[in-house]
Amino acid sequence: MACGILDRLGLGIKGRIKGRTPLKMQTATRQIGDVAIVDVSGRITLGEGNTMLREIVREIIEKGNSKILLNLHDVGYVDSSGVGELVKTYTTVRNHGGQLKLLNPSKRVSDLLQVTRLASVFDIQADEASAIQSFSRPEGSRAVA
């Protein structure tokens, strides 16, 4: 029980990032051309993290942006609710006729996407320049395993 409380406060051992205490999820949104980039850092977890992600993507879609790039390089931990939220976000964007791509996920997040086999669902790009350029290619040009 104590570990759960410490994790909720961001003070637990689980999910430490390079010796630092894990941060709550933070985001910054920017626009390059017609691509909305959401820089995500910290943890995508039940509660604040997944709710924040949902709201940000909803706002981006309401503004008419259909190309969304989630930069997950500084995300150190994703729990099962966070994984569910990533999938839900992907589905929401697709249902609105848009495209959602992931940019340079941290090793931990990349491993999680591989283990859950979601790496074959998401379009994962290694660097920002090629990610932005990939939005101009036809969607069918990416092979899904």
Side-chain angles (χ1 to χ4, degrees), residues 63-77:
K63 289 179 182 176
N65 292 325
S66 63
K67 299 174 182 177
I68 302 172
L69 184 61
L70 293 182
N71 180 357
L72 303 179
H73 180 70
D74 293 327
V75 174
Y77 180 74

Side-chain angles (χ1 to χ4, degrees), residues 34-38 53-70 84-102 121-123 135 139:
D34 60 351
V35 178
I37 302 171
V38 181
L53 185 60
R54 183 180 315 138
E55 287 301 311
I56 288 167
V57 170
R58 183 187 56 78
E59 288 173 14
I60 290 170
I61 291 171
E62 284 178 357
K63 289 179 182 176
N65 292 325
S66 63
K67 299 174 182 177
I68 302 172
L69 184 61
L70 293 182
E85 194 58 42
L86 287 173
V87 172
K88 185 175 181 180
T89 298
Y90 174 81
T91 303
T92 299
V93 172
R94 295 282 300 213
N95 288 343
H96 283 89
Q99 297 177 53
L100 175 79
K101 299 184 183 203
L102 305 182
V121 173
F122 290 104
D123 186 345
F135 280 102
E139 245 182 294

Side-chain angles (χ1 to χ4, degrees), residues 90 113-114 116-124 139-145:
Y90 174 81
L113 293 172
Q114 291 296 328
T116 58
R117 299 190 180 193
L118 289 172
S120 64
V121 173
F122 290 104
D123 186 345
I124 301 172
E139 245 182 294
S141 66
R142 180 182 167 268
V144 177

Side-chain angles (χ1 to χ4, degrees), residues 25-49:
M25 188 178 110
Q26 297 179 342
T27 62
T29 305
R30 54 197 168 95
Q31 190 84 23
I32 296 183
D34 60 351
V35 178
I37 302 171
V38 181
D39 295 309
V40 184
S41 62
R43 300 163 36 137
I44 304 175
T45 58
L46 177 64
E48 184 180 319

Side-chain angles (χ1 to χ4, degrees), residues 3 5 8 12 15 17 19 28 30 39 44 57 75 88 107 109 115 118 126-128 133 135 141:
C3 289
I5 293 169
R8 280 194 300 278
I17 306 168
R30 54 197 168 95
D39 295 309
I44 304 175
V57 170
V75 174
K88 185 175 181 180
K107 168 119 174 66
V109 174
V115 167
L118 289 172
D127 67 271
E128 189 171 296
Q133 197 172 35
F135 280 102
S141 66

